[in-house]
Amino acid sequence: YDYQDLQVNFLEFTSFTTDNAAAATIQGVEIEATWLATSALTLTGNVNWLDAEFDKYQFTPAIDLSGDTLNRAPEYSVGLSANYDFYLGDNGTLAARVDWYWQDEMYLRVQNVPRHRVSSFDTADARLVWTAADEKWTVDGFVRNLADEDNVRGVTVSDGLSTGNNTFVSYFPPRTYGVRVAYSVGG
């Protein structure tokens, strides 16, 4: 992508501001594959490479961000999953699935300064889904963020004089788990 008049958002003093970042170039490659290893086992994976930078961006008269990396643009990310289906005859099917995702470090704001950068992280999820043979009942047990990691989702930085130099951090949810039960009344 070759952007002209790209707009970016950031917190300035106590309000969010939209700014015209002039020009940016984003290029990358995504490779995705699915392998049906057996009639019951499916493996999938994807790898992404991203090169995203401001070609021209005069943030303030004193700060030129030309050549800096765009915010929320990790250079690499990888996702892997495995799904195994157990066929239980008259008792339905049981599907076991595990997903893993890794993301490279990235900047959460347009300025490429250390306090706006979040570290790379990975996370894993798992689920077990039973479906009745007539497909009317489904029971879905799941766990997200298996390792209960504190992965940063966002950073809001107030560089304003009236509010001081505050940083507010939000995180992806901690380990969550649950069970869903569904019944289909349709034929």
Side-chain angles (χ1 to χ4, degrees), residues 5-182:
D5 300 321
L6 176 68
Q7 294 183 333
V8 294
N9 299 308
F10 57 90
L11 184 67
E12 183 175 38
F13 299 108
T14 58
S15 62
F16 281 96
T17 300
T18 299
D19 194 23
N20 187 337
T25 301
I26 301 173
Q27 57 188 355
V29 175
E30 178 176 1
I31 299 171
E32 187 172 316
T34 300
W35 179 34
L36 303 173
T38 69
S39 62
L41 177 62
T42 304
L43 303 172
T44 61
N46 64 64
V47 176
N48 299 289
W49 169 74
L50 185 64
D51 179 29
E53 70 177 42
F54 293 111
D55 297 327
K56 183 178 178 186
Y57 184 13
Q58 194 68 40
F59 184 66
T60 67
I63 301 174
D64 183 3
L65 300 180
S66 301
D68 280 6
T69 301
L70 268 68
N71 55 315
R72 298 193 173 275
E75 186 174 9
Y76 296 100
S77 62
V78 177
L80 301 172
S81 67
N83 191 87
Y84 195 91
D85 293 320
F86 298 90
Y87 299 100
L88 307 175
D90 291 342
N91 294 315
T93 59
L94 187 65
R97 182 179 176 100
V98 177
D99 296 293
W100 176 78
Y101 175 77
W102 175 84
Q103 179 178 292
D104 204 359
E105 67 182 18
M106 68 178 176
Y107 292 99
L108 292 173
R109 294 196 42 168
V110 294
Q111 305 97 327
N112 289 182
V113 296
R115 70 188 183 116
H116 299 168
R117 184 178 59 231
V118 292
S119 299
S120 62
F121 72 88
D122 68 321
T123 187
D125 303 331
R127 71 183 324 139
L128 196 57
V129 180
W130 172 78
T131 304
D134 63 5
E135 298 184 353
K136 289 191 179 233
W137 284 99
T138 303
V139 179
D140 179 3
F142 63 90
V143 180
R144 293 187 190 111
N145 190 1
L146 277 164
D148 199 24
E149 296 291 333
D150 292 328
N151 297 319
V152 176
R153 172 182 254 164
V155 173
T156 303
V157 179
S158 172
D159 294 325
L161 300 174
S162 63
T163 60
N165 199 358
N166 301 312
T167 301
F168 305 95
V169 179
S170 64
Y171 294 89
F172 285 100
R175 179 186 304 126
T176 56
Y177 52 89
V179 175
R180 290 188 208 107
V181 178

